[in-house]
């Protein structure tokens, strides 16, 4: 009787599997969502997190209000300080400076990418002499401050401001990008390289068709971040009298006729720099998404074998 009742009674549902602390991970299941390494927060934890968020938002709002109050009390929003931005001559000066900044950045970005690729090839070379020479060049220009190189080229070599600025930015950023390229190529799985060599491909073909296309996707965020650094470093050109965007802002801020509008100039120039950097980041995300949608970068699915398919050599 007891045996039949044990068979007929429903079995209780088993609890979800959890790995203990000895396993190194904890998992929590909530519907179809699974969170690894920690349990889902309970009601008390959620209330605590909301309180932390509200306190942080209130502190940031108080800090912002205090800064705005200081700007008002120091007279940074007076009409005298903001009048110059309504003049056509001032607007032309700022636009001309912005164009010079973009021109210097374009030159420096293209040349830095080219120099980085050349130095990375040297560091990945099978010839020891080429590898050692490329390593010395990379380490030297990575260790040199950008401003020192710009001043040396401008003063010692008697070069015009634009070529001096572009050369300094190219030498520094090209050396950094060389390490980015080398690390990206070496991060590709070793089996990819070995399989390509097993097919009879030469090293140039392996680099061009196998390693570099896979490494570019991993290197793209770092490349864009380094280009953002190059864009911001173009502001060093005002130290060698290059008429770039910051130099134009300095001319406006030092004008006594407008009561030295330093803070208004910063409030106008800073959002433009931030917008250009965000535009570069957006371009990187767009390019990465396009590469993911490219049919050449998608994994080809294998056709399942039918039961009638015979192995090679089998009759």
């Amino acid at each position: 009787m007891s045996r039949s009742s044990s068979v007929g009674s429903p079995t209780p549902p088993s609890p979800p599997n959890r790995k203990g602390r000895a396993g190194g991970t904890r998992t929590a299941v909530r519907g179809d969502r699974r969170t690894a390494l920690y349990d889902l927060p309970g009601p008390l934890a959620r209330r605590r997190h909301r309180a932390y968020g509200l306190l942080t938002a209130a502190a940031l709002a108080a800090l912002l209000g205090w800064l705005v109050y200081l700007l008002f009390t120091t007279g940074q929003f007076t009409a005298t300080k903001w009048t110059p931005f309504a003049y056509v001559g001032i607007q032309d000066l700022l636009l001309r400076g912005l164009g010079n900044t973009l021109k210097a950045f374009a030159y420096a970005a293209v040349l830095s990418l080219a120099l980085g690729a050349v130095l990375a090839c040297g560091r990945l070379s099978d010839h020891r002499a080429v590898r050692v020479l490329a390593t010395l060049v990379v380490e030297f220009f990575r260790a040199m401050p950008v401003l020192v190189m710009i001043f040396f080229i401008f003063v010692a070599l008697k070069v015009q401001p634009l070529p001096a600025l572009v050369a300094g930015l190219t030498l520094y950023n090209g050396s950094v990008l060389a390490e980015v390229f080398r690390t990206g190529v070496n991060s590709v799985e070793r089996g990819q390289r070995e399989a390509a060599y097993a097919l009879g491909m030469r090293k140039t073909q392996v680099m061009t068709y196998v390693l570099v296309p896979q490494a570019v996707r991993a290197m793209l965020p770092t490349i864009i971040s380094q280009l953002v650094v190059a864009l911001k470093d173009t502001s060093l050109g005002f130290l060698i009298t290059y008429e770039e965007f910051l130099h134009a802002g300095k001319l406006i801020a030092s004008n006594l006729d407008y009561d030295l509008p330093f803070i208004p100039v910063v409030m106008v120039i800073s959002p433009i720099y931030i917008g250009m950097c965000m535009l570069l980041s957006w371009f990187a995300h767009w390019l990465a998404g396009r590469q993911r949608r490219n049919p050449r970068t998608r994994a080809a699915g294998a056709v399942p074998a039918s039961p009638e398919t015979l192995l090679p050599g089998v009759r």
Side-chain angles (χ1 to χ4, degrees), residues 80-85 87 89-90 93 247-265:
T80 305
K81 291 182 179 293
W82 290 88
T83 299
F85 298 105
Y87 296 151
I90 297 296
L93 178 64
H247 183 270
K250 178 177 175 292
L251 293 178
I252 301 171
S254 59
N255 197 325
L256 293 174
D257 296 335
Y258 306 122
D259 197 13
L260 299 175
F262 179 77
I263 298 299
V265 167

Side-chain angles (χ1 to χ4, degrees), residues 104-297:
F105 167 70
Y107 288 150
V110 173
L111 294 176
S112 297
L113 291 172
L115 179 62
V118 172
L119 292 176
C121 292
R123 294 215 62 184
L124 294 170
S125 176
D126 295 332
H127 304 284
R128 189 172 183 274
V130 176
R131 191 167 60 249
V132 170
L133 179 61
T135 301
L136 291 176
V137 173
V138 168
E139 296 300 330
F140 176 78
F141 287 113
R142 283 177 64 199
M144 287 290 292
V146 185
L147 187 58
V148 172
M149 289 189 288
I150 294 174
F151 264 118
F152 178 80
I153 298 171
F154 177 69
V155 176
L157 302 181
K158 306 294 183 181
V159 179
Q160 294 298 316
L162 176 59
L165 177 63
V166 172
L169 294 177
T170 299
L171 292 175
Y172 174 75
N173 293 286
S175 301
V176 175
L177 288 174
E179 282 299 289
V180 174
F181 295 158
R182 183 185 68 87
T183 307
V185 170
N186 289 334
S187 66
V188 179
E189 187 179 357
R190 187 178 181 85
Q192 303 281 338
R193 187 193 314 259
E194 294 175 351
Y197 282 128
L199 292 175
M201 301 176 68
R202 297 189 297 272
K203 182 176 181 179
T204 304
Q205 295 174 322
V206 173
M207 291 287 293
T208 305
Y209 299 111
V210 179
L211 300 181
V212 172
Q214 299 182 68
V216 165
R217 292 193 292 272
M219 296 184 298
L220 191 59
T222 310
I223 293 173
I224 296 299
S225 65
Q226 192 60 38
L227 292 180
V228 169
V229 172
L231 174 61
K232 293 187 293 184
D233 285 344
T234 55
S235 60
L236 298 174
F238 88 96
L239 296 173
I240 57 173
T241 68
Y242 179 61
E243 297 180 356
E244 44 82 42
F245 198 39
L246 188 60
H247 183 270
K250 178 177 175 292
L251 293 178
I252 301 171
S254 59
N255 197 325
L256 293 174
D257 296 335
Y258 306 122
D259 197 13
L260 299 175
F262 179 77
I263 298 299
V265 167
V266 172
M267 294 176 66
V268 169
I269 289 179
S270 299
I272 297 177
Y273 271 112
I274 295 172
M276 290 189 295
C277 295
M278 292 180 65
L279 187 62
L280 273 177
S281 300
W282 172 84
F283 175 73
H285 288 295
W286 174 81
L287 190 60
R290 183 175 180 179
Q291 285 186 342
R292 285 193 296 268
R293 293 190 298 268
N294 191 349
R296 294 183 179 182
T297 60

Side-chain angles (χ1 to χ4, degrees), residues 11-22:
T11 58
S14 59
N17 294 331
R18 292 176 180 241
K19 291 187 178 180
R21 296 187 180 273

